[in-house]
Amino acid sequence: MLTLKYISENFEDAVKRLDKKHFDGRDILSKVVALDNERKATQTKLDATLNQIKMQSAQVGELFKKGLQDEAGKIRENVANLKTITAELEKQMNADIEQITNMLLTVPNIPNDTVPEGFGANENKVEKMGGVTPELPADALPHWELAKKYDLIDFDLGVKITGAGFPVYKGWGARLQRALINFFLDEARNAGYTEIMPPTVVNEASGYGTGQLPDKEGQMYHCNLDNLYLIPTAEVPVTNIYRDVILNESELPIKNCAYTQCFRREAGSYGKDVRGLNRLHEFSKIEIVRIDTPEHSYQSLDEMIAHVESLVQKLELPYRILRLCGGDMSFTSAITFDFEVFSAAQKRWLEVSSVSNFESYQANRLKCRYRTADKKTQLCHTLNGSALALPRIVAALLENNQTPEGIRIPKALQPYMGTEIIK
C-alpha cells in the first residue's frame, strides 16, 4: 500500500497518477491525510502525558523518602488519572491507525510515469515482436482437438472428477507438462534464481501482504473452515517469505523461482475465448520473484523481461511484449509488461506471462525492509513474473507445431521429452 509519507509529500501527484488507473483518489486520500494529522496530534498528547507520568512517578518516590506521604498520595492519584487518560489516547490512536490502514488497502498502487494512458487491453502498447508465425493449412486443428486426437488431455474426464477448468493430462500430454516445468526451472536456476517449493495454501496475512486480499474480483478459492486460501500464483507464498523481515543491503537482489499449481475461480469467464486451455481454474506455473533496492529495481525488471523473452524464443514461438496501459494494470502493480504468444490455429494472441514491478507497494504491506550501509532501514522493491504459465504455452506449442506426421517438439524441449515428435 502507499506510504503516508509519500501521500502527504506528493498529494496532488498521487491523485493525478491514480487517475491513470481510473481511480478517483482525492476524497479518500484527503480523509487519510486528515486522520493521520489527528493521529499525530493524539501521539503528541500521549507522549506528553507519558512524560508527565514519568516525572510525577519519580516525585512520589522522593516525597515518600522525605516523609511527605499526604503530598505523595495526591500525586499518586494524579498519576492514576493520567494513566486513564493514556489508555484513552492509545485507544484513539489505534482506532485511527486501523481506519487509515483499512482505507489505504482500498487504494491501488501509483503507476510509473512510463505507463501509457488507456482504459483496456486494446490500448496497451506493443513494445516488441519476435519469432516467426508458422503457415498452417486451412484445416489446421485448435489445441483442444489436437489434444483429443493424440490423447494428450481429457477435458471431459476433468469435468467428471472436479468440474470445468480442471483438465486431466495423459501420456505425452503429462510428459509435455513435466518437460516444460523442468525446462523452465532449469532456465531459472541457470539465470541465478534459487528454487523454492512453497505451500500452495496461504493464510490471510499472506494474502494481504501481496495485495490479493481484499479479494476485489472474487478470484481466490477460500477454505472457510480454516480461513486459508489456495494461491492464484506462487508470487504470494514466495514474496511472503520476507514479510516482517529486515534484510541487509548486501543480500540484495534476492532472486527466487518456484513451480506450483495455481488456482483461480475466473468468475464470469465463458465463451469461445476460454475454450480448452485458454482459461483454467487450476494450472501449473513457474514464477520468478525478486526483492531489490529502489535504485536497482528497474534494472531487475529489465533482466526479468529478458529472461522471459529468452524462454519463448527457445520454444520457437512467435511472441510480442506489451506495456500495459493504466486501465489494464493490476491493483498492486506500478508497471507491467505482458508476453503473448501467437496461436496459429486460433489466429489470436494468448497471454503467457506478466512481469511487474510493484516498487514499495507490496513491501509496505509486508513490512519488508533492508538495512543500508549507514544502518538506516528502507522499504524494498518487489517484482515478479511468470516464467512461464503452462496452459497457453502448451496450446500454442500444439497448434503451431502440428504436421501431417505428428506434433513437432522444439529443439530446446527435446532432451526433456525424449522425442522429437509426438506421433
Side-chain angles (χ1 to χ4, degrees), residues 51-267:
N51 191 48
Q52 287 184 58
I53 290 171
K54 182 179 178 182
M55 292 173 62
Q56 292 186 23
S57 296
Q59 288 177 356
V60 169
E62 292 297 322
L63 290 170
F64 268 117
K65 287 178 184 179
K66 294 176 181 179
L68 302 172
Q69 282 84 358
D70 289 344
E71 291 184 36
K74 290 177 182 178
I75 294 177
R76 240 181 181 173
E77 287 180 15
N78 194 47
V79 167
N81 291 332
L82 289 173
K83 286 182 177 178
T84 300
I85 293 171
T86 296
E88 289 299 319
L89 290 171
E90 287 178 340
K91 183 179 178 181
Q92 178 60 49
M93 194 167 68
N94 289 334
D96 287 344
I97 290 170
E98 183 179 1
Q99 194 173 348
I100 289 168
T101 301
N102 288 337
M103 285 195 291
L104 286 177
L105 286 173
T106 68
V107 179
N109 197 2
I110 297 289
N112 182 274
D113 287 336
T114 62
V115 171
E117 300 278 357
F119 285 88
N122 292 335
E123 294 166 280
N124 293 334
K125 180 183 176 184
V126 178
E127 293 282 314
K128 185 177 181 180
M129 299 187 71
V132 178
T133 302
E135 293 186 12
L136 299 182
D139 60 350
L141 300 177
H143 69 271
W144 53 86
E145 293 187 24
L146 291 167
K148 186 173 183 179
K149 177 179 179 179
Y150 291 92
D151 198 23
L152 306 175
I153 306 167
D154 196 322
F155 295 101
D156 293 334
L157 186 55
V159 172
K160 173 186 175 182
I161 296 170
T162 309
F166 297 89
V168 175
Y169 298 88
K170 302 164 61 180
W172 282 110
R175 289 182 66 173
L176 179 56
Q177 287 279 114
R178 183 157 49 89
L180 283 166
I181 291 165
N182 288 333
F183 169 62
F184 292 149
L185 285 175
D186 285 350
E187 290 292 309
R189 286 196 302 271
N190 291 339
Y193 290 88
T194 299
E195 185 175 346
I196 304 289
M197 188 172 284
T200 53
V201 181
V202 295
N203 57 29
E204 201 169 53
S206 294
Y208 276 101
T210 44
Q212 276 68 32
L213 293 176
D215 187 6
K216 294 158 289 297
E217 298 173 348
Q219 293 295 316
M220 296 182 77
Y221 283 97
H222 184 209
C223 307
N224 295 316
L225 186 62
D226 304 294
N227 196 27
L228 297 174
Y229 294 83
L230 276 64
I231 62 168
T233 165
E235 164 202 345
V236 183
V238 175
T239 310
N240 269 278
I241 292 171
Y242 305 97
R243 174 157 44 92
D244 298 319
V245 170
I246 299 178
L247 300 158
N248 290 318
E249 189 171 6
S250 59
E251 298 177 79
L252 302 175
I254 285 172
K255 300 168 63 177
N256 290 330
C257 67
Y259 152 66
T260 64
Q261 291 297 98
C262 302
F263 304 86
R264 297 182 187 177
R265 292 185 65 247
E266 300 289 1

Side-chain angles (χ1 to χ4, degrees), residues 1-2 21 105 107-111 207-214 216 235 329-336 356-363 365 382 384:
M1 66 189 167
L2 302 180
K21 280 193 172 182
L105 286 173
V107 179
N109 197 2
I110 297 289
Y208 276 101
T210 44
Q212 276 68 32
L213 293 176
K216 294 158 289 297
E235 164 202 345
M329 287 171 60
S330 75
F331 186 85
T332 52
S333 174
I335 187 168
T336 296
S356 301
N357 189 345
F358 304 97
E359 296 186 355
S360 63
Y361 188 86
Q362 285 183 334
R365 287 180 173 226
T382 63
N384 80 269

Side-chain angles (χ1 to χ4, degrees), residues 180 183-184 311-317 388 393 397 410 413:
L180 283 166
F183 169 62
F184 292 149
L311 298 178
V312 291
Q313 287 174 339
K314 289 176 181 178
L315 291 176
E316 304 168 33
L317 291 170
L388 287 159
I393 287 289
L397 285 175
L413 213 55

Side-chain angles (χ1 to χ4, degrees), residues 286-327:
I286 286 73
E287 194 80 0
I288 52 175
V289 174
R290 288 207 192 194
I291 313 290
D292 211 337
T293 64
E295 294 78 16
H296 297 132
S297 72
Y298 276 86
Q299 178 183 332
S300 276
L301 180 66
D302 290 341
E303 291 172 5
M304 293 169 75
I305 291 168
H307 176 72
V308 175
E309 183 176 15
S310 73
L311 298 178
V312 291
Q313 287 174 339
K314 289 176 181 178
L315 291 176
E316 304 168 33
L317 291 170
Y319 67 94
R320 66 181 184 181
I321 306 173
L322 306 177
R323 185 189 297 259
L324 297 196
C325 69

